[in-house]
Structure formats: C-alpha cells, structure tokens
Amino acid sequence: MRSIVVLAALAVASLPGRAADVSIVLSDIGPAYQEAAQAAELSLAGLAKTTRIAADAFDQAAQPAPSVIVTLGTRAFRAAIANGPRTPVIAALIPRAAYELELKNAPREAPAGPSTAVFLDQPIARQLHLVRLLLPTKKRIGLLVSPATQNLVRPMESAARPRGLAITHEIVSDSQQISAVLSRLLEASEVLLALPDPRIYNPGTIHNILLSALRARQPLIGFSEAYVRAGALAAVYSTPQQAGRQAAEIAARAIAGIALPPPQDPQAFTVRVNEILARSLGLQLEPEEAIAANLQRMERER
Amino acid sequence: MAHTDRTKSSLLLACLACMGRDVCAQQASETAFFEELPVVLSASRLPQSLANTPGAVTVIDRELIRATGTRDLARLLRLVPGFTVPQSRGHAYHPSYHGLGAEYPNRMQVLIDGRSVYTPYFIGGVDWAGLPVTIDEIERIEVLRGSNSATYGSNAFLGVVNIVTRHSAQDEGNSVRAAAGNTQIRDFGFRHGGQSGNFSYRVNGEYLSDTGFRSSLDDRSGATLTLRGDYRPSGDQELTLLAGVHEGSRGFGFAGTPANTNGERNAKYTTGFAHFRWRRQLGAGSEISVGYYHNRERTQEAWTVTAPPFFPVIPVDFDRNSVRDNVDFQHIVALAPGLRVVWGAELRRDALESTRLFATTGADSQRLARLYGNAEWHALASLVVNGGAMLEKYSAHKAELAPRLFVNWHVAENHTLRAGASRAYRAPSLFEEHGDIRFSSGGFLLQQNFTPPGSLRPERIDARELGYLGRFPRWNGTLDVRLYHERIVDFIADRGVPSPLVPPPLFSPVTAQAFNSATPIVSRGVEAHLRVRPFESTDLLLGYAHMRIRGAPGSLDRSVPGSSASLTWIQRYPGRFGSTLTVYRTLAYQWGGGARPTPAYTAYDARVSYQTAALGKPAEFALVLLNQGRAHEELTWSDSQGPTVVSRQAYVTARLEF
C-alpha cells in the first residue's frame, strides 16, 4: 500500500499537466471481472482516470490512446493486443498458458507493444507447501493430466523432490476413460492435486473424481473456492480483487514511467478449507488465516 | 523458461487434437478458475470420522467385497466381530449381531441407500438372499455395531447394516461378468452406465444360481435388475431415482417326512422397490433431503401334506405379500463451528397380506411416525459429544423415546477413547403380535402353529459401551476395541402353549405364542477389529469377539458362540496377481427357533485373481474356494433330517470392463 502512495506521488510529479488514463478491458460481464475491475479502480483512484470497456467494444483506434491498458480475462487481452497498441498492456485474470498462446497467435503485421501479466495460476511451490501444511504425512501427490497439461508434470516433479514429496501422474487422453485412469492413480497416490484443465476437471466429471477420491480416503486440493464447496479439502487461489489490485500496482508503476516487469505469479492469495470434510477424514486443520500466514512465511523463507 | 516452449508446442498439439473449437477456446482461458461446480460431497455423503462416531463401525469396502469373491452379502458379516451368520437349507442366511437370533433374526436394521429392507414379513427381519441389490453396485457396507435406535429407529435395536451403492457418475461404461463352478454355480452379471450433461444413470443385472448344500435341498436361482439415475438440476441440488426387482426361487423341505409335513417345495420370491431422493445444499455443511420409497415383496411357498385315509390332501402354503410406503425428511445443519445437528422425520405404512399368517383377518398393517435429532458437538479440540434421541410411534403402541449419549475423547493424536449409553425399544412385529397360523382340511382344524398372544409390550434395551480406537500410521492401521454391556427387558420370544382350538387326540395340541420374557437378559462381551496395511501390497484384517448371554429364554443363552474370530489376508503380487485367504473360527452355539446345536468349526475361504489388459480392455479372472477345510456343520433345524453340512465350493469368475 505504501508503495502505491509513493508511486502516486511520483506519477503526479512526472505528469503534472494531464491525469493518466487507464482503460480496463473486461472479457465478460461476469462477477469475477467486475470485482477485479472495481479493485483496480479503487487502487488507482486519485492516480489515474479509469474507464471500463467491454472486450467486444474495445477498439484501439477509436479513442485517445490511454496511458496503460489493464485487461481482465483472456478475451480482453486478445482484443487489446489485436491492434498492436503502443501502450503497455497488463493482463490479469489470465492463466499462464492462455497468455503465452495469445502472444504467440497475435497478428504479426502490427507488432505488439509491451505487455505483462498477473497469472491466475498459483506458483507450484505454493501448492506444494499447502499440501505439506495440511497433510504432513502424505508424500505422494497424484496428478491427473491431459495431453494439454502433461508438460506441467516435470516442473512439478522438480519442485516436489527437494521438499520430500513425490509426484505420481496418469494421463487421460479420452474423457471416457477417467474412471479407469483415476482408479489407477488412486492406487499410487495419497492426495490429489487438481489442475485447471477443463478436459479433466469440469462440472460433468467432478462427481466421479470426488466420490472416487473419497472412497480411497484421499483428499483433493482444488484451485478455486468452487472446489472447496464441491468437496475438495482445500484450495489456494487468488481472488479477482487480489488480482485486480496487483495489476493496478503494476499500472501505477507504468504510469510513473517504470518499465513493465516480466509476467508474474499472483502475490496475494486466499486459502479455503472444507472443515466438514476435514473432520470426516479425521484431520485437525488450522484456521484458514493461519494456514495462509504459514504459506507466506514458507515463501519468504525460501 | 525452458519449459515455456514445450508448453506452447504441447498446447498447440492439444488444440490440434481437439475435436471442437469450443474445447480449444476453453482450454486456454480462465473459465475453469471461475466455474461453478456441483456440490458433490454434501453433508449426508460424508461419513463421520471413525474417531468421532458414537459407537463402533466396521466398514466393508468395495475392494474387500471384491477380494473375498463372495456371491452372498450375508457371508461378509462373518468378517465383522460380534456377528454370527448361521446358514440353513433353502439358501437361507440368518445373521445377527450378538446372537438372540432365530429363523428370522429381527433385531438389526438393514438399509440400502437409506431404504429399510427390514421386512414386515413373517416375524420381521431381512431376507438376505432376496435383496434387490447386485454386489457389483455396492460402494461400501457400514456396519454400526451396537444399538443405534437414536438415529435409525426401533429395528436398529442391536445394530445397523448400512449398504451404500455407488453414484451413477462413477460407473460410466460397461462390464460383464460370469462365474461357473461345482454345486452347479452358474452366474452372470452386467453393468451399463452412461452420462449426458447433468444426468447420469446405471443399470445392473445379475443372475445367480447353484445347488448349495449337498446334504439337503438348498438350491437357489434368482435374477436381480437395478437402475439408478442421478440428475443435477443445479449445482446445489440432486435428484436420485433408484429402482429394482428381484425374482428368485429356493428349494426347501425334505423327501419322505411323515405325512410330507415338511415336503420338498420351491419357494418363489419377488421383491421390487422404487426410491426417490431430492437433496439440496443450503450452505457449507447444511443440507436438506426429502425421500420417498415403496417396497413390495411377494412369496409363494405351497405344497401338499397327506394324512390318509382321513385327510389325503391337505393344501399347505406360506404365501405372503407385503407393501411398504415411506416418506422422510432430513435436515443437516452446522449451527456453529464444531456443532452439527441432524434432525428429521419419517412416516411409514406397512401392510402384510397372508391368509396363512393371519388365519382370521388375512391381513395386517401398521403405521409408524418418527422424529429424531442428533448433535455432534466438538466441545473441546480433544472432546466430541454425540447426543440425540428418536421419538417413535407405532400405530398400536404408545410413543417411545430412544436416547443416546456418547463422549469421544482424543487422548492423544491417533488414540481415542469413547464411552456411551443408550436406551432403545423394539415394537413387536405384526406377526409376533397378531400371527395366527392354522392348518385345516375339509373343515377340520388339524393344527394351530401359532396363536396370537393378546398383547405384547415392546422390548427395551439399555446398552453401555467403552471403546478404544487407535490409528497406527506406521502400519497404516486402525484398531477398534469395544467392551459392551446390554440389558434387555421384556424380550420377545415364543413358547409352546396348548392350543385352545385344536381337539387333542388327533394332532398336536401345542401351539407357539409370542410372550414377553419375565427375566432380563444380560449380554456382555468384548470385540476387537484390526485392519493394517504393513506393506503396500498387503492387507490384514482381524476380527475377534468374546460374548456371553445370561437370562435369555429357551436355548438363547447359547445363541452366541463363546468366541469367534476371523482373519483375512489380502496380498497383491507383481504382475497383477492377487490372493485372499480368510480363516473363520467359531465355537459351538445354538441358534433359537428350534435349532440344533451347531458344533465349533474352522473354515477357510480363498481367492486367487489375475488382472490383465491383454484383450485391450481391463479384465480379471479369479478362482474362488469357499468352505474349505473339514466340511463343517451349519444350522440344522430340529425338524430336518440329518445335519446340514456345508458343501466345499469352487468356482472361476471372469470380468471384463469395456
């Protein structure tokens, strides 16, 4: 918070004549985008004039160029880079894979301006720390991956090994086979870690996955609050507000003329646990705030 | 950043592999992070942690069921300490917890997905061979050892067997299985499951047949078809429909009994049910559900008694029909962190038709209303209190309150002590109260087998227990030890009395009549249950019970074997071979209802299995051996000819998933 105040002073000092303009482009009207936009606006209040624009209505050429563009969601980012803006673009509410794919697929004729991102994906270390904190006796983390997320296995393995954890994974190539593949995985794993891979984890498959995991008395660690409500033991995720604030901080630096940082992991995060499930599994868990504080401490210690 | 390039290329590959563009678009967007999901593990789906449960629970899970290779559910209860599972001719299993059982043990509740299959039939109890459920669809069997009426009502007087079937979303795809072996074992089963959007369904079918004991008529054949559909209109709601039918035939009786009074015959059984349940999640840990079910049972068992010259043809039958309708409501609510309450209400109507069982009225029925509430309160981090009660009213009796209080103290991590007390009542069954069996020919009353007693008081049980539950993470194991003391007053049994109706010289003037025993029964003992996985490839299960009964009428003091034990060893070998060996040891006991003493025995069951994907699909082949060792004697009724000796069974099974 203090840094924003300092930056605000910097920004005011460097741009005495004109207030900075920040366009906030939203992929969709859904609550996640609204909440992130609101958080970004609050953080930038007094520092820049913010304008919300729907991704569909976003037209780079039609308006005076803003100082900075904050995009919320993949579609918004695609729209913002489509016309090759010269203004810096800060993408939030976007998964790492989507960000990289959009950059790669951006039209070549108009070279894209500088961009950066605040990813939705939690850093691997944070997810592993959560497993260790909640389930100190469990060593084998099971991953169900599709060909699209298979590449995550190796970095997971390298991050797990020094922490005394092991990754065991199974590949689902056809969603019809989830049952068989999952039961193979559950024979080898002690806890499941869900990856944001809609080919495997979606509202149609979650029944099978959670019920099979419960039968094997293996908890699932999810990546959103919806997972905890559905029956995951816990989830670590960044709320839209947290992502919006982080994007706004980068925007404030950009307004002050500081170059965009490289794409980054979400800093602030939230931990949710399913106390009723924990009790049913015979686990005694600390309160959510204490777990989050412990996770932060573990990250500082690294 | 080395893996970033791989990320890109494999994402592209994945997208190329995608069938539709939508999937690709979804693949690389944030949808998954903000997607709403259905509530799967709603409050009622989550079993209470064993360490917090008010009582001892033994769980027989799907792996264990499959590892035993069993074709008969009742046999699985031999693995549960405190159970005696006698078997008699007519493919009849008579399991009871803590003895006190006769031909139809009726002091234990059996539920399938919350639906009571405790039949109003005959004396009450459960027809284990005719349950409309296939073994393949069972997810787990929870055996709640000890009186549980505060949660499950009057029929849970001594304990509860809770059979839970799998959610249909877990069983997409098909499977077929078959078995063949000696004693003419010929089985066939199939499963088909599918899913479309918010709806999933499953169909299971099973045909079982064998000739059973060689020493007496024991053959059975039966087919079961079940259906389950689960529909989720929204993320927080679920509608479940279950339905099933069973039709079977079992051989009873003996050739050449005097006057053919127990002549050979086939009894035909038809059971069917439909069960709806609607669940709605109200918030974290809160849920309401409303259910309705309809059970229907029909038995035809007829033969002819001949007593020439006066009565050359005396038609005899035990035909009966029963119908049950039940509605229930349940609300689970988390009132505060660490305080969870389950309360609900239930209404039921049982109707039983049988001119044989009710000679003068031909039918009988009763209504039942229940209201219950149970709270789980985490008073301290190391102390859990479970308290609750059920108020139950049968139409012909006054309302009775069954309370229960348990305290679970987590003495140290992984070590829990529990102490509890409960009181429960069992209302007399329709037959115990109004049964009137008469056999006549040409207008002459020849015999009255059962006479209505006039009035009966419900039985009452006061149960106390001390328990220990230990978890041993190093051995991947749990140990449950339970010391119990049960005192039953007004125990209902039957005794011989002179029939007021039958003229003496010709036929037996003695008739049976239910009565409330004047002497209290005290049942005491200790049970232990150990389950460990010392190595990844090995499971060991040990059950042991030492039981004593005093004060029971007739021979029922001997209805528990002094001790019984079972040991199961499950081993998984490299190369997808597996084996299971179970040893049972039971000391001598004498079941009620006119049974002869059953001598002590030791028996072995074994199974060797091989899993393969050689056919391109998962398949499993197994050889199962049952009742091995010296052929032992099972339950023999005093009216039968010669002892009932088990047959050693051997069969091979094959299962293919596709």
Side-chain angles (χ1 to χ4, degrees), chain A residues 20 32 39 43-44 56 60 69 83 98 119 125 181 186-187 205 228 246 263 276 295:
Chain A
S43 299
L44 290 169
D56 291 336
Q60 185 75 40
I69 300 172
N83 299 322
F119 295 134
V181 176
L186 288 167
E187 278 175 28
T205 57
V228 179
Q246 193 172 337
I276 292 148
L295 281 182

Side-chain angles (χ1 to χ4, degrees), chain A residues 113-181:
Chain A
S115 73
T116 188
V118 175
F119 295 134
L120 270 173
D121 322 56
Q122 297 298 311
I124 291 173
R126 190 175 292 159
Q127 299 177 59
L128 297 180
H129 286 158
L130 180 66
V131 173
R132 272 190 53 191
L133 270 180
L134 298 178
L135 306 157
T137 60
K138 310 277 185 210
K139 301 289 177 230
R140 292 190 305 275
I141 300 175
L143 294 183
L144 214 47
V145 296
S146 72
T149 42
Q150 204 178 340
N151 54 65
L152 290 173
V153 173
R154 197 165 297 168
M156 280 274 184
E157 281 172 342
S158 349
R161 218 168 296 125
R163 294 179 170 87
L165 298 167
I167 300 291
T168 163
H169 77 281
E170 289 282 345
I171 301 165
V172 180
S173 41
D174 171 2
S175 65
Q176 296 269 309
Q177 297 170 347
I178 284 187
S179 287
V181 176

